[in-house]
């Protein structure tokens, strides 16, 4: 239960970062669309940064978590083997959550009329 709550909090944090960043980059998206970029190109430009940050976080956190977990569990009497697929599943789940939370907001900003964004600034 606590894991689900922590995953939801981290997903909300990623969504909040994407809302803030997409609002800052609204004019850039509008200019890209005026110059001929499609909605998906404009959305992918912003989403790629968040996905790269998520992948870097996974690459840094996985070996560290394995080392800490092994150190913590070494003194337990009953031990089981840790399946490798759990780490792959959590990495994929993290990327899916990051992609879903970021792409939803960036698509909304990219679908807006570019003239309104440029006119207000």
């Amino acid at each position: 239960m606590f894991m689900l709550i922590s995953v939801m909090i981290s997903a909300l944090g990623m969504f909040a970062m994407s809302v803030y960043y997409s609002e800052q980059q609204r004019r850039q998206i509008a200019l890209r669309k005026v110059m001929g970029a499609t909605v998906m190109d404009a959305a992918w430009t912003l989403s790629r940064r968040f996905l790269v940050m998520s992948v870097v976080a996974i690459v840094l956190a996985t070996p560290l978590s394995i080392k800490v977990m092994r150190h913590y569990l070494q003194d337990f009497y009953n031990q089981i083997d840790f399946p490798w697929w759990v780490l792959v599943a959590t990495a994929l789940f993290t990327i899916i959550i990051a992609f879903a939370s970021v792409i939803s907001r960036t698509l909304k900003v990219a679908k807006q009329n570019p003239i309104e964004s440029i006119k207000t600034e």
Side-chain angles (χ1 to χ4, degrees), residues 17-115:
M17 282 178 32
S18 68
V19 167
Y20 176 73
Y21 188 72
S22 63
E23 290 298 321
Q24 282 186 336
Q25 300 297 324
R26 181 184 300 261
R27 186 170 184 214
Q28 178 186 4
I29 293 171
L31 289 175
R32 286 179 189 266
K33 285 178 62 180
V34 167
M35 297 304 256
T38 63
V39 172
M40 287 306 294
D41 288 338
W44 177 247
T45 301
L46 290 177
S47 300
R48 182 178 37 211
R49 291 181 184 161
F50 286 101
L51 292 177
V52 167
M53 284 191 289
S54 297
V55 169
V56 167
I58 289 169
V59 167
L60 292 176
T62 300
L64 182 65
S65 64
I66 291 171
K67 185 169 178 73
V68 169
M69 178 186 61
R70 286 191 178 163
H71 178 71
Y72 174 73
L73 295 176
Q74 73 184 359
D75 294 333
F76 282 87
Y77 179 72
N78 294 327
Q79 294 182 4
I80 60 171
D81 291 332
F82 188 74
W84 62 270
W85 59 267
V86 172
L87 294 174
V88 174
T90 55
L92 288 175
F93 188 63
T94 302
I95 290 173
I96 289 169
I97 288 175
F99 182 73
S101 63
V102 170
I103 200 71
S104 65
R105 183 61 187 170
T106 54
L107 276 177
K108 183 178 179 181
V109 170
K111 287 181 180 178
Q112 291 178 349
N113 188 2
I115 302 303

